[in-house]
Amino acid sequence: MDSPTAIDDLIKRLRDRVEERRGRGLYPADLEADLDAHFERIAAHRPSPYDYDQLRQRLSELDEAMGFSPAHIVYESGLPGGTALHRSIGKMVSRQTAGILEQMHRYAEAMRDVLREVVVVLEHPNSHVHAELLGQVDGIVERLADFERLPADSIVGLADLRRRLERLEAAEAARRFEPWYPNERFEDEFRGSRSELLARYDDLAARFDGCDPVVDLGCGRGEFLELLGKRGIAATGVELDPELVKAGMARGLEVIHGDAVEWLAGAPSGSLGGIALVQVIEHLTAGDRADVVRLAAEKLRPGGRILIETVNPQSLYVFSHAFYADPTHDKPVHPAYLDFLLKEAGFGQIAIEWRSLPSPDESLEPVDTNAERVNRILFGPQDYAIIATR
């Protein structure tokens, strides 16, 4: 048992500390009266005996909940593209989040230590007088003061960011087009049958000879994957539409359900020999178009190739036929812009092939030079393919 002298010394230190803090204006004038009233309420309602095993269990639960970490922040979203949006915004505020979590962690650590000492003292009130308890209580007060001094706009900013994120998700949900009809039926009607597409893209598949593994981003029903497989080229498809994924897998193709740009971002650097985007890039936003070219330069090994086939905006015939027939098209991509992006990303040997000429029955008779010029503008090739080497 501790001597009366030790207890008297502790009481004196407590009184001195209280007076010192009172002198600094840290205690309100009516603090003693409030504490006395609070103690009486506690004493009147304190259960006896207390279940200390239950209190220890609560401390164990506190230990398990101590893992404050940005890694515990959930980014998954039920909306297509919502996960990437969460991650992007999470990166923007990562420093602020880390700072807040660090202060919360220090506060929780100090609180846990104090609670452990309190449990010991409550269990053995006559045999434990810990002088360190006073310092720990001061420490928890200081930690709490640090947290309270956190700029209010930081907390408000995070709440505002959450509201903005919810609005962005709602806008993304409204932008996404999820038709009630099967996309496979749409492709049959507007892109052509499987046999037609196999014939149309056989020459493009040959551009990847010796470039495996190849990823076909936005592979649709998988015709291009079939052509690559027939040439003995190892290939994987990435497709957002789950029904098209099932259709491709049913034919024995390796197809992954997911967002093409997100999948490419997660691929190891230098791991790919080829990347194909066949009638895909016109569906992407301007940001995703730039990102997919930048990521392609990072993920392709030296000598790897990227092939992008898309509608040709230099032919006005396209706008009265193919382009606006697909409600998911965003904007046509000019070949000069794609050429610029590829050069800026470090690609070389960039070549453009003009494809899918309109039927001669629909163009003007080439009777003179002027008619030929009009034909090039009105009835130029409907598509172009741009091929570049890393």
Side-chain angles (χ1 to χ4, degrees), residues 67-77 83 86-87 89-91 93-101 104 158 161-162 165:
F68 297 103
S69 169
H72 295 166
I73 297 175
V74 176
Y75 294 114
E76 285 73 12
S77 172
T83 299
H86 275 286
R87 288 200 183 101
I89 295 179
K91 290 178 182 177
V93 297
S94 59
R95 292 183 61 187
Q96 295 91 329
T97 304
I100 293 172
L101 289 177
M104 293 176 66
L158 288 175
L161 187 62
R162 181 188 183 92
L165 182 57

Side-chain angles (χ1 to χ4, degrees), residues 8-48:
D8 291 342
D9 181 61
L10 177 60
I11 293 173
K12 182 179 184 303
R13 289 174 58 194
L14 283 168
R15 287 174 174 169
D16 291 344
R17 183 67 60 86
V18 169
E19 290 303 320
E20 187 267 334
R21 295 175 73 85
R22 191 199 307 277
R24 288 193 286 144
L26 297 180
Y27 300 139
D30 55 351
L31 177 63
E32 285 85 352
D34 285 344
L35 289 176
D36 288 343
H38 183 62
F39 178 77
E40 289 177 2
R41 287 194 299 271
I42 293 175
H45 294 90
R46 181 180 177 184
S48 181

Side-chain angles (χ1 to χ4, degrees), residues 290 293-298 339-347 390:
V293 173
R294 174 184 57 83
L295 289 168
E298 177 186 330
D339 180 77
F340 166 79
L341 280 182
L342 290 164
K343 287 177 179 175
E344 288 296 304
F347 284 92
R390 184 71 179 93

Side-chain angles (χ1 to χ4, degrees), residues 209-260:
D209 286 345
C211 291
D212 52 343
V214 174
V215 63
D216 183 7
L217 300 177
C219 63
R221 294 176 301 189
E223 290 87 358
F224 200 71
L225 286 176
E226 289 187 52
L227 291 168
L228 293 171
K230 289 179 180 178
R231 304 188 72 85
I233 301 170
T236 300
V238 181
E239 174 55 49
L240 191 60
D241 187 294
E243 294 304 317
L244 294 179
V245 172
K246 292 177 183 177
M249 295 178 67
R251 292 197 296 273
L253 303 173
E254 184 177 340
V255 184
I256 297 170
H257 178 231
D259 179 85

Side-chain angles (χ1 to χ4, degrees), residues 4 53 92 103 136 188 204 244 275 301 318-319 356-357:
D53 290 336
M92 291 167 56
Q103 292 183 67
Q136 292 178 25
D188 283 337
L204 291 184
L244 294 179
I275 297 173
R301 65 171 181 264
V318 164
F319 298 103
S356 310
L357 284 169

Side-chain angles (χ1 to χ4, degrees), residues 118-160:
V118 169
V119 170
V120 173
V121 172
L122 288 175
E123 281 192 287
H124 307 284
N126 297 323
S127 60
H128 291 82
V129 179
H130 290 277
E132 305 95 31
L133 185 57
L134 179 61
Q136 292 178 25
V137 170
D138 281 343
I140 195 76
V141 170
E142 294 299 330
R143 293 284 187 269
L144 182 58
D146 286 343
F147 189 74
E148 290 174 341
R149 285 193 292 268
L150 187 69
D153 58 356
S154 296
I155 303 299
V156 173
L158 288 175
D160 180 63

Side-chain angles (χ1 to χ4, degrees), residues 314-380:
Q314 298 180 109
S315 172
L316 297 183
Y317 182 89
V318 164
F319 298 103
S320 63
H321 290 75
F323 189 77
Y324 289 114
D326 189 338
T328 64
H329 281 166
D330 183 51
K331 292 179 181 177
V333 187
H334 200 284
Y337 177 63
L338 272 185
D339 180 77
F340 166 79
L341 280 182
L342 290 164
K343 287 177 179 175
E344 288 296 304
F347 284 92
Q349 301 179 32
I350 302 172
I352 296 178
E353 297 181 8
W354 306 102
R355 304 171 59 81
S356 310
L357 284 169
S359 169
D361 297 338
E362 299 193 50
S363 59
L364 299 175
E365 290 289 337
V367 294
D368 55 23
T369 304
N370 288 332
E372 290 177 1
R373 289 175 179 172
V374 172
N375 270 337
R376 283 196 296 270
I377 296 172
L378 295 181
F379 304 104

